Amino acid sequence: MNTLLEAIEIRARAKRAKVAMGIREPTPKLLESAWRAQMLGYAQVVLVGNKKEIDEIGTELEVVDTEDPEKTLIELLISRKVDAAIRGTAKASGTLTNLKLALGMRKIYRLALLLTVDGTPFFLAPVGIDEGNSLADKIRMITLGAEHIRRFGVEPVVGVLSGGRMGDIGRDRRVDRTLADGEFISSQVAELGIKVKHHTILIEDAIKESNFIMAPDGISGNLIFRTIAFLGGGDGLGAPVLMDDYVFVDTSRVGGHFTKAIMLASALSHLNKERKEGN
């Protein structure tokens, strides 16, 4: 899987896409991370936010002046004025709502790419607190996620998590439900030709065998993401929304560094171009 990061970096530099980044409450660290992405050749970065606030810190990057980065960011993406976009520090609810409205989407599915403390990359879903609340949603998320992972030249291996070990059945109804769900999801996904295993609550085993971890729900997935990225010494590259025609990478406002998220967005734009030309 370490070749995955190399593949992302190579594709980002090959495309050097124009990537818009939402900005609220700019900081020197935030702007430096965007500038670094451009200097490393990953992308042409466009900052979308209050120009006065950005200029007070100073940057040589292009700035689109707006008081509503959540809306303007999506307008730039949909109008094809940029090749890709990342949320940056724009507000999550407003940005994702505008994305859904612009594309007529009832639901969005995101697939986060993280690095463990030892540098092992893996994909994680769901990561939105309101995502993955039904069996159908989880299976849909896995099938979409597996398709996107294959675009990187990596075969997906899914590790499904639940709320306890199989020996815990009978201790708690909610735990029993998650265990049953894990078994059902795994069987259904296997029938689709995707390599999958139900690891129960043993995430430490799942990460050894899988490159795509499926959490029991969005809340636990979000907690896994935050624990790894903000407490466990790992890192989060971002969470691309799983769609074909546009590239949007969701990011957390915590941390303040977005170089790798910009790299990921640029690489995904290149992959989209390759796929369309192949068709």
Side-chain angles (χ1 to χ4, degrees):
M1 274 285 281
N2 286 324
T3 57
L4 170 63
L5 296 182
E6 294 174 7
I8 291 172
E9 186 169 8
I10 289 169
R11 283 176 168 84
R13 284 184 166 146
K15 170 67 176 177
R16 209 170 185 273
K18 194 170 188 179
V19 178
M21 174 178 172
I23 302 289
R24 278 198 183 273
E25 300 177 359
T27 65
K29 180 181 178 181
L30 166 63
L31 300 186
E32 172 60 28
S33 71
W35 174 248
R36 180 172 173 77
Q38 182 155 302
M39 286 301 94
L40 289 171
Y42 296 152
Q44 301 174 58
V45 183
V46 180
L47 305 178
V48 182
N50 185 300
K51 190 175 188 303
K52 182 180 177 182
E53 293 179 355
I54 294 170
D55 286 346
E56 285 177 356
I57 297 171
T59 182
E60 294 182 34
L61 297 173
E62 179 183 348
V63 179
V64 173
D65 187 26
T66 178
E67 293 296 325
D68 190 354
E70 294 78 16
K71 182 179 180 181
T72 304
L73 188 67
I74 301 306
E75 289 175 344
L76 290 170
L77 179 66
I78 300 303
S79 66
R80 308 285 187 184
K81 292 180 180 177
V82 296
D83 300 306
I86 73 167
R87 178 161 67 89
T89 53
K91 295 176 182 176
S93 57
T95 306
L96 297 178
T97 296
N98 278 302
L99 181 64
K100 287 192 286 187
L101 288 172
L103 297 178
M105 302 167 69
R106 189 172 65 88
K107 292 183 179 181
I108 62 171
Y109 298 96
R110 291 172 286 179
L111 182 65
L113 178 56
L114 294 105
L115 300 176
T116 63
V117 67
D118 64 0
T120 301
F122 72 98
F123 295 94
L124 172 69
V127 290
I129 58 173
D130 57 346
E131 296 173 13
N133 289 324
S134 71
L135 291 173
D137 272 353
K138 291 184 179 75
I139 293 170
R140 176 66 172 160
M141 200 170 288
I142 289 172
T143 55
L144 282 174
E147 178 188 339
H148 279 71
I149 290 170
R150 288 190 178 110
R151 294 177 187 177
F152 288 108
V154 175
E155 189 60 26
V157 181
V158 182
V160 177
L161 300 181
S162 54
R165 299 171 184 253
M166 296 306 293
D168 293 325
I169 292 176
R171 289 177 58 182
D172 180 88
R173 286 185 180 180
R174 186 181 177 205
V175 172
D176 291 354
R177 180 73 269 164
T178 68
L179 287 165
D181 288 351
E183 289 290 290
F184 177 79
I185 291 167
S186 299
S187 66
Q188 294 296 303
V189 169
E191 289 182 8
L192 297 173
I194 300 170
K195 190 172 182 180
V196 61
K197 180 178 179 180
H198 179 204
H199 286 275
T200 64
I201 202 170
L202 303 177
I203 189 173
E204 65 273 23
D205 291 341
I207 198 66
K208 295 175 184 175
E209 302 177 25
S210 312
N211 54 29
F212 180 3
I213 303 296
M214 189 70 190
D217 54 43
I219 294 173
S220 56
N222 195 278
L223 285 169
I224 291 169
F225 173 88
R226 290 177 178 277
T227 300
I228 289 173
F230 306 136
L231 297 178
D235 199 3
L237 277 71
V241 175
L242 301 177
M243 51 187 177
D244 288 331
D245 293 329
Y246 300 94
V247 173
F248 181 84
V249 176
D250 195 16
T251 53
S252 173
R253 286 175 283 177
V254 181
H257 56 92
F258 297 93
T259 304
K260 290 176 183 175
I262 293 168
M263 178 183 72
L264 177 59
S266 183
L268 287 170
S269 177
H270 183 75
L271 287 169
N272 267 8
K273 183 180 179 181
E274 284 183 336
R275 182 174 52 82
K276 290 174 182 177
E277 289 176 349
N279 292 337

